[in-house]
């Protein structure tokens, strides 16, 4: 599920919340325009001035904020070609927006989030920056009924639910994760995006950026043209690839779900054969910031929730939903907090062996 584990190098303390800073009225501005108190252009993580084609924006979170914790669920494995986290805390994302490909760079600086964006999708990404980072989310709507959740929420106050507004970029990797290990799914996503996506826009003369190897995922037409042997080579069976092909044929209709309420959005996605409650929840947690999109049908989550809240590591979906009933409307947030608590049952069996149909 989204945010199964906390980032390994995520800071344990949230950003301090300074006095509110008025947001620029002009919205995104060219990177060459002065935006800092000293009147100089913002600098990249390596200290060099970003490409002049970049747009920049600053946003001050309305409360405690942990950038890596918020944005982390969008990363599909440590080698995700659309997502990079650097050692200094900077986050890079490549997205296919309604306006075209775009690259977004995020960095936490002194209680603010500094953003730079490149490509045709840059204005779209910066316009939606606060929404992406949880400005429309309401963490205070969650009322912990279990001591574990209260303590975990107190220790990780910077959690907000991400909302990308992009359905397909979360739906396709979620379909790839059906009925396989995460390693298999991450490998398939990596191979397909690198093989059929496009290099992400950005400061081409900026060596640290080029070293990231960011790619934008393929558009709907390109997904539909991937030959069967390429799916096979990536380890994707016919059932999952057929589901993706059915989805990309109606990609525009599915993208409309990003503006729908949770029940209607889930129903829209689940009209596609091969997309069930597990896949729709995994998608809408990210695209819609759906606080109540609890993941059912997961192999591990019921046991984790059951162990954390009732000492029952053998809980099934029915038992998990019963335990989460007091959090109706916030059940996804409750499960994220459970996962952040680290209260998971000890492993009783060896890790599942990774399959590889590419060898067949």
């Amino acid at each position: 599920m989204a945010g199964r584990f906390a980032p390994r190098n995520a800071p344990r303390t949230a950003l301090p919340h300074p006095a509110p800073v008025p947001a620029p009225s002009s919205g995104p501005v060219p990177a060459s325009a002065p935006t800092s108190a000293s009147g100089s252009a913002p600098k990249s993580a390596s200290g060099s001035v970003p490409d002049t084609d970049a747009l920049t924006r600053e946003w001050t979170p309305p409360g405690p904020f942990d950038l890596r914790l918020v944005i982390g669920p969008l990363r599909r494995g440590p080698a995700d070609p659309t997502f990079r986290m650097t050692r200094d805390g900077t986050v890079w994302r490549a997205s296919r927006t309604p306006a075209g490909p775009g690259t977004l760079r995020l960095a936490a600086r002194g209680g603010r989030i500094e953003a730079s964006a490149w490509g045709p999708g840059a204005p779209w990404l910066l316009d939606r920056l606060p929404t992406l980072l949880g400005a429309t989310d309401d963490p205070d709507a969650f009322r912990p009924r279990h001591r574990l959740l209260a303590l975990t929420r107190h220790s990780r106050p910077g959690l907000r639910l991400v909302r990308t507004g992009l359905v397909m970029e979360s739906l396709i990797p979620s379909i790839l994760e059906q009925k396989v290990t995460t390693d298999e799914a991450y490998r398939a996503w990596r191979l397909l995006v690198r093989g059929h996506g496009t290099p992400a826009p950005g400061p081409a003369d900026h060596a640290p950026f080029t070293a990231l190897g960011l790619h934008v995922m393929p558009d709907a037409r390109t997904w539909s043209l991937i030959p069967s042997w390429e799916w096979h080579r990536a380890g994707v069976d016919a059932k999952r690839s057929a589901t993706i092909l059915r989805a990309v044929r109606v990609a525009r209709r599915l993208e409309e779900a990003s503006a729908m309420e949770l029940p209607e959005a889930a129903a829209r996605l689940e009209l596609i054969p091969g997309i069930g409650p597990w896949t729709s929840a995994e998608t809408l947690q990210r695209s819609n910031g759906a606080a109540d999109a609890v993941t059912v049908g997961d192999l591990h989550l019921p046991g984790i929730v059951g162990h954390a809240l009732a000492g029952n590591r053998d809980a099934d979906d029915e038992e998990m939903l019963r335990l989460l009933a007091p959090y109706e409307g916030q059940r996804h947030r409750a499960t994220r907090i459970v996962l952040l608590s680290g209260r998971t049952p000890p492993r009783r069996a060896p890790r599942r062996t990774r399959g590889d149909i590419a060898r067949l």
Side-chain angles (χ1 to χ4, degrees):
M1 64 166 291
R4 181 177 297 279
F5 302 106
R8 291 181 179 178
N9 53 355
R12 286 290 176 178
T13 57
L15 292 173
H17 180 47
V21 177
S25 58
S26 57
V29 297
S32 56
T35 59
S36 66
S38 62
S40 59
K43 294 189 176 183
S44 66
S46 64
S48 59
V49 177
D51 189 287
T52 55
D53 291 333
L55 298 178
T56 64
R57 178 176 183 176
E58 288 188 353
W59 177 65
T60 302
F65 188 85
D66 187 328
L67 176 60
R68 293 194 174 194
L69 192 59
V70 172
I71 206 78
L74 301 182
R75 182 174 67 168
R76 305 289 182 157
D80 184 349
T82 69
F83 191 107
R84 289 287 189 269
M85 286 185 178
T86 60
R87 291 183 178 180
D88 67 349
T90 301
V91 174
W92 294 80
R93 286 194 70 233
S95 296
R96 185 169 295 281
T97 76
T103 299
L104 181 66
R105 174 186 175 274
L106 301 171
R109 299 283 186 267
R112 302 185 309 277
I113 301 300
E114 296 179 356
S116 302
W118 294 260
W124 191 93
L125 289 169
L126 292 182
D127 285 343
R128 291 187 57 86
L129 178 68
T131 302
L132 171 71
L133 299 179
T136 59
D137 183 33
D138 182 14
D140 293 333
F142 180 77
R143 294 288 187 269
R145 305 293 183 87
H146 295 80
R147 185 171 184 270
L148 174 68
L149 301 191
L151 292 175
T152 304
R153 183 178 183 231
H154 179 75
S155 65
R156 306 299 293 271
L159 173 65
R160 284 179 173 269
L161 300 183
V162 69
R163 182 173 187 172
T164 65
L166 298 170
V167 171
M168 297 305 293
E169 75 167 22
S170 293
L171 176 61
I172 291 175
S174 294
I175 295 172
L176 293 175
E177 292 173 3
Q178 294 175 349
K179 306 297 184 180
V180 297
T181 65
T182 53
D183 287 345
E184 291 174 84
Y186 292 161
R187 175 181 178 273
W189 175 247
R190 182 171 67 250
L191 292 177
L192 292 168
V193 172
R194 285 181 177 170
H196 300 278
T198 55
D205 57 348
H206 186 50
F209 169 76
T210 56
L212 295 175
L214 281 173
H215 279 66
V216 179
M217 79 168 198
D219 59 17
R221 183 174 184 275
T222 302
W223 282 113
S224 68
L225 295 176
I226 296 176
S228 60
W229 58 86
E230 290 289 343
W231 292 105
H232 186 80
R233 186 176 300 168
V236 182
D237 57 59
K239 182 177 180 180
R240 286 180 291 151
S241 62
T243 300
I244 291 174
L245 293 178
R246 285 190 289 266
V248 298
R249 292 190 188 106
V250 290
R252 290 185 181 180
R253 294 285 288 163
L254 294 182
E255 289 291 355
E256 293 173 0
S258 65
M260 296 178 178
E261 295 298 322
L262 177 59
E264 291 77 18
R268 173 68 62 90
L269 268 58
E270 291 171 24
L271 286 173
I272 306 300
I275 297 177
W278 185 92
T279 306
S280 66
E282 289 289 304
T283 301
L284 298 173
Q285 289 164 6
R286 298 169 172 88
S287 64
N288 293 33
D292 198 45
V294 60
T295 303
V296 295
D298 192 83
L299 180 61
H300 303 290
L301 186 61
I304 294 173
V305 173
H307 175 77
L309 301 185
N312 179 14
R313 64 177 298 160
D314 297 314
D316 56 11
D317 279 336
E318 183 179 355
E319 174 67 8
M320 177 181 71
L321 293 176
R322 185 188 68 80
L323 292 170
L324 294 175
Y327 303 108
E328 187 76 29
Q330 295 286 318
R331 291 177 295 178
H332 168 51
R333 193 190 311 274
T335 58
R336 281 216 62 191
I337 295 174
V338 167
L339 295 169
L340 288 173
S341 74
R343 186 76 62 84
T344 57
R347 189 178 298 277
R348 290 192 296 195
R351 189 182 297 273
R352 178 180 171 182
T353 302
R354 193 186 84 177
D356 187 3
I357 68 170
R359 297 182 180 180
L360 300 179

